[in-house]
Amino acid sequence: MSEVIKLEIHSQIALITLNRPSAMNAINHEMRKALPEALLAAQANPAVRVIVLCGAGDRAFSAGADIKEFAPVESQAAYRQARLENNWIGAFDRITKPIIAAIHGYCLGGGLEMALACDIRVAQKGAVFGFPETGNGIIPGAGGTQRIARMIGLGRALDMVLTGDRVTAERAYEIGLVSRLADVGSLMETALQVAERIGSHPETAIKFAKEAVLASASSPLAAGLLKEIDLLSLLMNSNERLGIAIDFKEKSKK
Ligand code: DAK
């Protein structure tokens, strides 16, 4: 695949590793190309139920875009067009399988934007979150301004984006930026446990559950409620659901 992205399949779980530890897993051109490929390969693999995204090395999930690659653009119009055509972060939105970010160390800028594009964030104590973009003369440009506000609310999002101040793992947990905290040394164990738990549930129910919950971020309540009914209706006669109900009844008779 690529040196900078590792894809390993362990039973039902695809483990994708950002693999530039000497550069704090900073996102370079090669990574922007290889990461969508790895995500789509995991999506296409029928054995894979859940994807876990993590960073190599001891120091970072990812310190954001590779600053050493920052260069002038040909023109604003050409840059905008290139961004529309090559929206690498958009690959996350095409994945119907759950994606868990396992975060340790620095999770900054584009690194935080990748984490926000995942469905579940698990942080190891000591992790540090932040948007250094405004200090670098730009704004978060890989979905960060939109996803952070939906995740933690407008006021907290504006605080993080405008100040660039960093947030600890504990604070990230308090404000809902991450949903689980892991002790130092137990990050992957915790993330894999969450992945296994999800993988133990019927596959279509998980797919529809993700679709329904994510719809709440982009649809008015009435449309979201309709989607929920539609998806639930499709599941009502599934073999998995009926099998579970029959097993339950049999067990209660004994
Ligand atoms: N880029 C490249 N190299 C980086 C890096 C980065 N973002 N962050 C760290 N490194 C490298 C350092 O250069 C150093 O390499 P050597 O000098 O050893 O070769 C090594 O990682 C260790 O870093 P430090 O020596 O600096 O370690 P410290 O503990 O002193 O500091 C730090 C760690 C993470 C606080 C610091 O390195 C730092 O502030 N890094 C920069 C953080 C940052 O500003 N990130 C960029 C945010 S802006 C786009 C979409 C999105 C974006 C851009 C474009 N498109 C679709 C095109 C997003 C933009 C951003 O993410």
Side-chain angles (χ1 to χ4, degrees), residues 115-118 121 146-153 175-178:
L116 286 166
C118 295
R121 282 151 295 283
Q146 303 306 298
R147 291 193 213 272
I148 190 72
R150 285 166 169 79
M151 200 70 65
I152 62 176
I175 63 179
L177 181 49
V178 305

Side-chain angles (χ1 to χ4, degrees), residues 41-59:
Q43 171 73 22
N45 185 332
V48 170
R49 295 285 314 278
V50 183
I51 300 166
V52 176
L53 178 66
C54 66
D58 302 332
R59 303 207 50 209

Side-chain angles (χ1 to χ4, degrees), residues 38-46 48 51 94-97:
L39 285 168
L40 295 172
Q43 171 73 22
N45 185 332
V48 170
I51 300 166
R94 296 199 289 280
I95 306 302
T96 60
K97 298 174 183 180

Side-chain angles (χ1 to χ4, degrees), residues 65-123:
D66 190 323
I67 297 178
K68 292 170 188 163
E69 285 186 347
F70 280 13
V73 296
E74 186 192 320
S75 74
Q76 290 162 351
Y79 176 76
R80 183 175 185 277
Q81 193 56 33
R83 283 299 311 274
L84 289 172
E85 284 166 13
N86 179 19
N87 178 14
W88 64 280
I89 198 87
F92 284 85
D93 299 328
R94 296 199 289 280
I95 306 302
T96 60
K97 298 174 183 180
I99 313 176
I100 299 170
I103 303 158
H104 74 289
Y106 289 106
C107 180
L108 303 177
L112 178 49
E113 291 178 300
M114 283 191 283
L116 286 166
C118 295
D119 301 308
I120 294 177
R121 282 151 295 283
V122 181

Side-chain angles (χ1 to χ4, degrees), residues 20 23-28 31 62-67:
R20 295 186 73 210
M24 302 240 176
N25 301 317
I27 308 158
N28 61 1
M31 197 180 274
S62 168
D66 190 323
I67 297 178

